[in-house]
Amino acid sequence: MSIILDHVNYIYGEDGPLAVKALDDVCLQIPDGQFVGIIGHTGSGKSTLVQHMNGLLKATGGHIYFNGEDIYDRDFPMKKLRSRVGLVFQYPEHQLFEVDVFSDVCFGPKNLGMDKKEAELKAFDALRKVGMPMELYYQSPFELSGGQKRRAAIAGVLAMAPEILILDEPTAGLDPKGREEILRQIKELQVQTGMTILLVSHSMEDVAEYVDRIVVMNKGRVMYDGAPKEVFAHYRELEEVGLAAPQVTYILHALKDRGFDVDVNATTTGEAVETVLHALGRIPEAFRP
Amino acid sequence: MGIIRTKDLVYEYVRRDEEGNVEGFTTAVDKVDLDVQPGEFIAILGHNGSGKSTLAKHINAILNPTEGSVWVDGMDTSEEEHIWDIRQRAGMVFQNPDNQIIGQVVEEDVGFGPENMGVTTKEIWERVEESLKAVGMYEYRRHSPNKLSGGQKQRVSIAGVLAMHPKCIVLDEPTAMLDPKGRREVIRAVRALNEVEGITVVLITHYMEETIHADRVFVMDSGKIAMEGTPRQIFSQVERLQELRLDVPQVTLLAHELRRKGVGLPEGILTVEELADALAGSR
């Protein structure tokens, strides 16, 4: 399912004296099955942007198309859009409420009007996809660890069988291992199901490691849009708008300044190891047996 | 005796079922001995549920030990009559900036603490000014806190604690909800308090990079102190940290991986400059 945003504008309090332009002429084309990272500092418009994609906010100007259909068309089934685009909010575990994990995950599909059996099948499938251990299915969601709670909340959205999954800061407040586990699971989900995934994040290291494409938002506009390498090449400009490139970018630039022949475009630790070894390979005495 | 000291500190949460009957106990902090010297910068790391926040809440008597004792500036936190003195000596900053700001205007918010302590009006204004200057927020003194960014709000929260003239400040994941710029601003402000004002800092965080300037790092696991040492000593143990569900700064990890591939580098490299210099030196 593809999304096209065509010159989308959004102004908070449009008619009031305190009107704020939160989205400014945003044009984006997201093809089927892509894993897109959306980064930007607080207040850059990234959350506003994703809330447009399932119709929670309505653009004050421009058009949004799902598979070629204009979602602002009077005949467009807006309610259906919400089940086709799953949105996982920040700190989604605050929205857990049922007596056990399984019932909580069943709530979404039941709410969409699925019968009990179908909802349970969907819930089971979703819990399996997020890697929730089976013995926790009938535990109270409030007794899970931080990472497990978040998995339960993501499963709740997945159970509605969305075609697009949007996650707003899914790793905020988790420990490093928890962050890695959640992101790896999301990546696996994308690879296995071919689902389109949008990941809103502050963490450049995380984004660089997993996504196909990065969209950088600044002051409501799309500042950069491209593969991680292309975007992080602008690391100085990113810093000026309150962001940063992954730490490896800085290391590689520092090495380049000291005369090493490294590829400064490497964005993950693995790639950096390769290029540094390669650069060192030309100076064999740097190696110890 | 240090400014913060714990001895055999144990804290147990009572678990209850739906009817409120006791089901059992969870030991969140398990026999922790801590001795923090005045002026030290301490960082506490640990995975979610390792007990670090529970430990922190003992330092300004939000929680009282189940067993063992906690002393702040020589005062036992379990003695009711010291509670206000302790909270003034050891200020606390929490994760969510929106839960901590009460004033309509920045300077009013910062003045709340000293006003509550009965400080004279003239001195309140002096304290507000110096605190806001210390965290670099003086030019925003007339602003509404609602309009500030996350990093700016956290710095106002820190100024609010500072205005109470504490001897130490405990920060429980102050940067968890901030973007990279906000994180940098807050950490810079915290380091300035420690280095310039000499305030003892206890920083709890999930971001490894934020701890590299600490004097000592403690790593918690299952309520116990699992590791203790300088940042360099701690981050030299990449595999051990990964076992404890943590990691190391990306630069340390890169150096570690290169070392494993046979490049002659020391363990525990903490900054970009260090790594670049070490590699340049090795050729």
Side-chain angles (χ1 to χ4, degrees):
Chain A
M1 178 135 139
S2 68
I3 316 172
I4 296 171
L5 278 80
D6 183 23
H7 299 282
V8 170
N9 286 295
Y10 185 77
I11 302 171
Y12 280 102
E14 193 177 17
D15 304 319
L18 298 170
V20 176
K21 206 166 200 183
L23 290 183
D24 187 1
D25 199 35
V26 173
C27 294
L28 279 179
Q29 209 167 344
I30 297 167
D32 221 3
Q34 206 170 41
F35 193 170
V36 184
I38 299 180
I39 62 177
H41 62 83
T42 318
S44 61
K46 49 193 196 318
S47 293
T48 307
L49 177 69
V50 296
Q51 287 179 43
H52 276 78
M53 297 197 182
N54 76 343
L56 275 179
L57 291 176
K58 188 171 186 292
T60 47
H63 294 274
I64 298 177
Y65 300 93
F66 272 91
N67 281 347
E69 284 181 81
D70 187 337
I71 67 166
Y72 297 137
D73 226 26
R74 202 175 300 165
D75 306 331
F76 190 84
M78 201 53 126
K79 198 178 161 208
K80 239 179 155 179
L81 181 68
R82 304 242 158 91
S83 67
R84 291 164 82 178
V85 182
L87 182 54
V88 180
F89 289 95
Q90 273 182 42
Y91 293 87
E93 61 273 23
H94 294 168
Q95 295 162 42
L96 296 170
F97 67 100
E98 274 280 12
V99 289
D100 61 54
V101 171
F102 194 71
S103 319
D104 204 286
V105 178
C106 283
F107 178 81
K110 274 188 190 157
N111 211 24
L112 291 177
M114 289 185 209
D115 63 39
K116 190 166 178 256
K117 183 143 188 223
E118 204 186 342
E120 284 180 355
L121 279 173
K122 288 270 194 273
F124 184 76
D125 192 41
L127 283 166
R128 201 176 45 81
K129 277 183 188 150
V130 297
M132 180 72 77
M134 199 118 44
E135 62 270 22
L136 299 179
Y137 285 15
Y138 293 101
Q139 283 239 1
S140 161
F142 304 105
E143 283 170 14
L144 303 178
S145 72
Q148 302 287 22
K149 273 186 196 166
R150 205 151 292 181
R151 273 164 211 263
I154 295 173
V157 172
L158 273 184
M160 294 190 274
E163 291 155 70
I164 296 175
L165 183 65
I166 303 176
L167 302 120
D168 196 352
E169 296 270 356
T171 59
L174 295 184
D175 58 46
K177 181 86 177 170
R179 290 207 285 267
E180 191 193 314
E181 284 170 357
I182 291 274
L183 289 168
R184 196 173 283 169
Q185 202 84 50
I186 293 168
K187 179 73 187 172
E188 211 177 292
L189 187 72
Q190 187 245 349
V191 172
Q192 281 177 0
T193 62
M195 193 183 264
T196 307
I197 297 183
L198 272 66
L199 175 77
V200 178
S201 179
H202 284 325
S203 167
M204 308 307 140
E205 279 88 356
D206 288 353
V207 171
E209 194 83 38
Y210 297 96
V211 303
D212 306 321
R213 168 182 172 192
I214 293 177
V215 174
V216 181
M217 296 293 297
N218 184 40
K219 295 182 181 160
R221 290 176 151 270
V222 176
M223 185 180 179
Y224 296 112
D225 180 359
K229 283 184 202 335
E230 292 160 27
V231 170
F232 291 133
H234 302 283
Y235 72 108
R236 294 213 188 275
E237 290 88 346
L238 288 174
E239 263 176 29
E240 278 165 26
V241 299
L243 297 170
Q247 216 177 11
V248 291
T249 305
Y250 298 94
I251 299 166
L252 294 173
H253 280 278
L255 287 174
K256 186 107 191 163
D257 292 345
R258 286 167 175 74
F260 283 89
D261 183 22
V262 287
D263 172 16
V264 292
N265 290 322
T267 52
T268 65
T269 312
E271 288 169 4
V273 170
E274 293 275 301
T275 182
V276 172
L277 284 178
H278 187 77
L280 287 173
R282 312 218 169 136
I283 326 148
E285 62 272 20
F287 280 99
R288 303 252 171 91
Chain B
M1 181 149 94
I3 181 148
I4 300 166
R5 210 169 89 89
T6 71
K7 189 162 180 358
D8 297 327
L9 173 62
V10 175
Y11 186 79
E12 288 177 339
Y13 281 103
V14 181
R15 285 201 316 273
R16 293 177 191 276
D17 64 12
E18 279 165 30
E19 280 86 44
N21 301 314
V22 175
E23 275 190 331
F25 298 94
T26 305
T27 309
V29 176
D30 195 2
K31 290 211 163 41
V32 168
D33 291 314
L34 206 63
D35 195 355
V36 181
Q37 298 307 313
E40 261 193 307
F41 189 135
I42 297 290
I44 303 181
L45 296 170
H47 58 81
N48 293 116
S50 60
K52 46 192 196 318
S53 292
T54 309
L55 173 64
K57 284 178 186 149
H58 281 84
I59 301 174
N60 72 347
I62 294 175
L63 294 176
N64 268 321
T66 310
E67 281 170 39
S69 306
V70 179
W71 293 273
V72 172
D73 206 10
M75 295 176 286
D76 188 330
T77 62
S78 61
E79 287 171 19
E80 194 75 30
E81 69 265 28
H82 293 318
I83 201 157
W84 299 109
D85 286 330
I86 287 170
R87 292 203 180 142
Q88 184 259 313
R89 300 289 157 90
M92 195 145 176
V93 175
F94 298 92
Q95 190 183 101
N96 190 341
D98 295 317
N99 294 347
Q100 301 172 68
I101 293 183
I102 46 165
Q104 302 295 312
V105 182
V106 165
E107 56 186 4
E108 180 193 330
D109 187 82
V110 175
F112 179 80
E115 189 181 2
N116 221 15
M117 286 159 53
V119 174
T120 60
T121 310
K122 183 167 169 285
E123 202 192 329
I124 292 174
W125 285 111
E126 286 166 11
R127 288 190 183 196
V128 167
E129 185 181 330
E130 71 184 27
S131 306
L132 283 170
K133 280 182 178 161
V135 298
M137 287 297 291
Y138 186 62
E139 55 186 301
Y140 293 91
R141 65 192 179 281
R142 301 272 154 76
H143 285 231
S144 159
N146 300 324
K147 303 261 162 167
L148 302 179
S149 73
Q152 291 171 331
K153 283 185 202 170
Q154 271 311 42
R155 285 187 286 154
V156 171
S157 302
I158 294 170
V161 170
L162 209 53
M164 295 167 73
H165 286 183
K167 289 193 176 173
C168 75
I169 180 164
V170 181
L171 303 108
D172 191 359
E173 294 192 43
T175 58
M177 300 177 85
L178 307 182
D179 59 27
K181 183 171 175 224
R183 270 162 53 194
R184 272 202 301 274
E185 290 168 359
V186 168
I187 294 302
R188 202 176 293 147
V190 171
R191 285 184 62 196
L193 296 188
N194 178 252
E195 284 164 19
V196 182
E197 317 271 331
I199 293 174
T200 311
V201 169
V202 178
L203 173 70
I204 297 176
T205 183
H206 279 322
Y207 291 106
M208 307 298 136
E209 318 78 88
E210 295 175 358
T211 67
I212 60 172
H213 301 290
D215 296 312
R216 277 192 293 163
V217 177
F218 292 88
V219 180
M220 289 195 67
D221 181 45
S222 320
K224 293 187 169 68
I225 305 249
M227 295 167 79
E228 180 191 339
T230 63
R232 204 175 297 281
Q233 288 164 347
I234 297 289
F235 292 126
S236 299
Q237 305 173 53
V238 178
E239 276 95 7
R240 175 85 179 112
L241 284 165
Q242 284 170 346
E243 271 168 37
L244 295 171
R245 299 181 57 87
L246 299 173
D247 59 10
V248 295
Q250 202 175 16
V251 57
T252 312
L253 183 63
L254 178 59
H256 177 75
E257 293 292 327
L258 287 170
R259 222 175 96 96
R260 274 183 34 194
K261 295 264 157 77
V263 180
L265 286 171
E267 274 289 2
I269 280 184
L270 299 175
T271 66
V272 170
E273 290 300 304
E274 249 181 275
L275 176 58
D277 289 340
L279 280 171
S282 74
R283 42 172 187 192

